[in-house]
């Protein structure tokens, strides 16, 4: 019965200034209903001021199997971090 | 009203679990992030990670049963919504039952991340292929049962569920944190409602005592069979799905309830309930586990009624699902 009712991923912004965070998922026939259901399911206690719903099928996720080769290129670029640079003694505010 | 000892502490544990989850997530894993390494490091397994088949199957079974319990659990209390003694109590009870529906949905969504479909889960409940907690097969005979359920049944559920906030499967742990935060309201409203009755007329007091008498042992049985007979426990502990044994949690619940009952001025129906100085715990009479097995197998006072109601509600709700789908389809066509 719910097999053909699409799955939506729900993102809730708790307060102005915070990013939307993944809260969970739910089934709904379309985006409007998904929003209403998300309000009832994930913000019963005013947990949010804004909700995004995204069709679960529209999310492309990176694969955990390829996690290493996918993210490794950044691993040896330690020069991207300020701590890489040793400063001469006595230098302040830098 | 006197404070509910333990509720604050349990909520504190939920917050600690949430903090630990974030802290563990920031910790670097040395070398391979294999299943065993993640478990050993107290980190979370996520949906797309490799995991043993038995871990996946066991979690699906446990989360599904948990979700079904939340859904069926709406019935005993739903029974009293239209007969609540005041608008205030009615609003509270409605909000609580609505929360239970929400808990069911969070948990179904968590189970679905393991590769089972909502349709399969719905069918498994409707056909009786998967179980729900035996506690919901007992009838709610008086208004005082709403208080006793909140205090004892939700109380036992919280004791069971707080450790699950640290479960090794990420989506389940996160769902449980959300659930547990909502549960403390359930337990408090029940305790407070029972307290009001216990301070009331002799008839109200007797009604409160009767409710406690009937719900005490079924609540103790919610923790499952004694450790010696518990089939899934050892593996589940090794995989950090379960953190404490059935008997440990049951003892914890008893120890919390005794002082709470004293404050209510009600008696727990166990003449052998005594403080054991040596153990540092209360000695208590175990629930009737043969009765538990009978109820689990389908022979409780309300099993047939609960299943019939669930199936009827599902069938009678078909037009809503169809209308929603038709409306969505119409809108899609209008846009196209
Ligand atoms: Fe619940
Ligand atoms: Fe509850």
């Amino acid at each position: 019965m719910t097999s053909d009712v699409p799955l939506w991923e729900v993102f809730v912004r708790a307060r102005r200034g915070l990013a939307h965070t993944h809260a969970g998922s739910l089934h709904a026939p379309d985006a409007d209903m998904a929003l209403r259901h998300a309000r009832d399911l994930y913000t019963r206690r005013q947990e949010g001021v804004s909700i995004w719903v995204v069709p679960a099928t529209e999310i492309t996720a990176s694969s955990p199997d390829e996690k290493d080769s996918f993210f490794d290129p950044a691993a040896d670029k330690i020069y991207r971090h300020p701590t890489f640079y040793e400063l001469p003694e006595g230098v302040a505010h830098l | 009203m006197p404070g509910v000892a333990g509720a604050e502490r349990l909520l504190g544990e939920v917050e600690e679990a949430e903090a630990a989850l974030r802290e563990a997530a920031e910790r670097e894993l040395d070398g391979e992030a294999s299943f065993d390494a993640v478990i050993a490091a107290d980190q979370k397994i996520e949906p797309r990670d490799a995991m043993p088949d038995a871990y996946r199957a066991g979690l699906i079974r446990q989360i599904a049963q948990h979700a079904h319990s939340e859904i069926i659990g709406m019935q005993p209390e739903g029974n009293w919504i239209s007969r609540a003694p005041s608008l205030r109590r009615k609003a509270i009870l409605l909000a609580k039952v609505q929360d239970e529906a929400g808990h069911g949905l969070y948990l179904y969504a968590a189970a679905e991340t393991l590769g089972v479909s909502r349709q399969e889960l719905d069918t498994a409940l409707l056909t009786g292929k998967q179980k729900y907690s035996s506690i919901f097969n007992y009838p709610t005979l008086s208004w005082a049962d709403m208080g006793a359920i909140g205090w004892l049944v939700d109380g036992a559920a919280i004791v069971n569920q707080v450790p699950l906030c640290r479960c090794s499967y990420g989506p389940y742990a996160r769902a449980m944190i959300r659930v547990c935060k909502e549960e403390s309201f359930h337990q408090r409203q029940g305790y407070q409602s029972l307290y009001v009755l216990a301070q009331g007329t002799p008839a109200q007091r007797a009604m409160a005592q009767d409710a406690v008498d009937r719900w005490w042992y079924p609540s103790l049985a919610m923790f499952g069979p004694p450790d010696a007979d518990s089939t899934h426990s050892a593996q589940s502990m090794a995989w950090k799905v379960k953190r404490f044994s059935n008997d440990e949690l049951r003892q914890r619940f008893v120890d919390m309830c005794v002082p709470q009952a004293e404050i209510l001025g009600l008696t727990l129906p166990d003449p052998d309930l005594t403080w054991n100085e040596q153990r540092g715990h209360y000695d208590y009479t175990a629930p009737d586990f043969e009765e538990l097995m009978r109820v689990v197998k389908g022979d409780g006072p309300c099993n047939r009624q609960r299943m019939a109601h669930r199936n009827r509600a599902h069938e009678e709700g078909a037009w809503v699902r169809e209308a929603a789908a038709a409306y969505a389809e119409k809108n899609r066509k209008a846009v196209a």
Side-chain angles (χ1 to χ4, degrees):
Chain A
M1 56 127 250
T2 18
S3 62
D4 49 348
V5 180
L7 184 68
W8 302 78
E9 296 300 332
V10 179
F11 299 81
V12 174
R13 180 205 293 286
R15 280 184 304 279
R16 174 183 297 281
L18 295 180
H20 285 77
T21 338
H22 187 238
S25 49
L26 53 78
H27 291 275
D30 67 14
D32 268 355
M33 280 184 261
L35 262 184
R36 281 162 195 275
H37 291 339
R39 177 200 58 191
D40 294 342
L41 189 55
Y42 290 104
T43 59
R44 282 196 302 285
R45 289 176 178 75
Q46 299 183 292
E47 286 94 337
V49 294
S50 165
I51 298 176
W52 289 345
V53 289
V54 181
T57 50
E58 295 297 310
I59 292 179
T60 308
S62 62
S63 155
D65 303 335
E66 291 155 24
K67 184 173 142 281
D68 291 346
S69 57
F70 197 69
F71 293 107
D72 268 2
D76 57 359
K77 316 275 189 303
I78 45 169
Y79 46 80
R80 284 174 177 157
H81 300 277
T83 42
F84 180 74
Y85 305 92
E86 223 171 283
L87 292 178
E89 203 133 345
V91 183
H93 309 298
L94 205 137
Chain B
M1 177 200 144
V4 182
E8 237 121 278
R9 203 186 68 211
L10 285 170
L11 209 56
E13 277 177 49
V14 175
E15 262 146 37
E16 275 165 36
E18 196 175 15
L21 184 143
R22 259 187 261 112
E23 189 259 330
E26 271 158 35
R27 231 181 305 128
E28 200 74 49
L29 259 189
D30 293 333
E32 266 295 282
S34 68
F35 176 82
D36 290 332
V38 172
I39 297 284
D42 260 327
Q43 292 204 346
K44 302 299 174 200
I45 300 293
E46 295 296 343
R48 298 195 63 195
D49 290 341
M51 59 186 94
D53 290 344
Y55 179 82
R56 185 186 297 276
L59 270 171
I60 290 176
R61 196 197 64 244
Q62 179 174 342
I63 302 174
Q65 180 173 333
H66 194 162
H68 300 329
S69 301
E70 304 280 358
I71 297 300
I72 297 291
M74 289 191 282
Q75 290 186 39
E77 286 172 298
N79 183 34
W80 282 90
I81 291 174
S82 64
R83 291 175 287 162
S86 69
L87 191 55
R88 178 167 171 270
R89 293 286 175 197
K90 184 175 183 167
I92 292 171
L93 190 57
L94 256 176
K96 179 186 188 285
V97 172
Q98 190 189 16
D99 273 356
E100 306 302 3
H103 297 173
L105 295 178
Y106 306 154
L107 289 161
Y108 281 132
E112 287 178 81
T113 64
L114 289 158
V116 63
S117 76
R118 181 70 63 89
Q119 189 177 30
E120 287 171 84
L121 295 168
D122 285 341
T123 308
L125 172 61
L126 293 170
T127 56
K129 196 173 147 254
Q130 280 173 341
K131 303 287 179 207
Y132 54 87
S133 175
S134 61
I135 191 78
F136 302 118
N137 290 317
Y138 291 86
T140 44
L141 303 179
S142 80
W143 168 253
D145 287 16
M146 299 305 96
I149 287 180
W151 176 39
L152 297 173
V153 176
D154 287 84
I158 294 172
V159 169
N160 253 332
Q161 290 172 2
V162 164
L164 288 172
C165 296
R166 292 178 183 269
C167 161
S168 59
Y169 187 57
Y172 192 25
R174 291 189 289 267
M176 288 318 304
I177 288 171
R178 189 181 286 277
V179 166
C180 284
K181 285 183 177 175
E182 297 181 357
E183 283 295 345
S184 77
F185 139 62
H186 298 181
Q187 195 190 17
R188 273 168 183 240
Q189 64 80 32
Y191 188 83
Q192 197 266 345
S193 164
L194 214 49
Y195 185 73
V196 168
L197 289 176
Q199 308 293 306
T201 64
Q204 287 171 328
R205 204 185 151 67
M207 184 166 75
Q209 183 60 58
D210 168 66
V212 171
D213 289 347
R214 281 181 291 107
W215 288 97
W216 175 247
Y217 286 106
S219 300
L220 289 187
M222 285 173 71
F223 296 92
D227 293 351
D229 308 341
S230 185
T231 37
H232 305 293
S233 276
Q235 184 55 266
S236 186
M237 294 253 214
W239 279 334
K240 297 185 180 172
V241 172
K242 231 179 133 139
R243 300 282 179 155
F244 302 97
S245 78
N246 295 352
D247 287 332
E248 281 174 310
L249 292 170
R250 193 166 9 244
Q251 180 73 63
R252 190 174 176 186
F253 176 67
V254 171
D255 291 348
M256 277 174 42
C257 285
V258 175
Q260 291 172 353
E262 276 165 19
I263 293 168
L264 286 174
L266 298 174
T267 5
L268 296 171
D270 181 356
D272 295 329
L273 200 61
T274 40
W275 178 250
N276 183 324
E277 191 71 57
Q278 223 163 8
R279 293 200 308 125
H281 292 291
Y282 284 93
D283 289 336
Y284 64 95
T285 306
D288 180 350
F289 291 114
E290 273 165 32
E291 175 182 324
L292 173 66
M293 289 338 282
R294 269 200 312 278
V295 179
V296 168
K297 292 212 173 84
D299 251 338
C302 299
N303 295 56
R304 275 166 285 268
Q305 187 187 332
R306 300 292 184 237
M307 289 301 289
H309 183 88
R310 184 72 215 110
N311 274 280
R312 191 170 62 241
H314 182 72
E315 282 154 28
E316 288 175 357
W319 72 270
V320 179
R321 296 188 293 275
E322 282 157 21
Y327 182 72
E329 186 54 33
K330 190 181 90 182
N331 284 344
R332 252 191 300 279
K333 281 196 187 125
V335 170

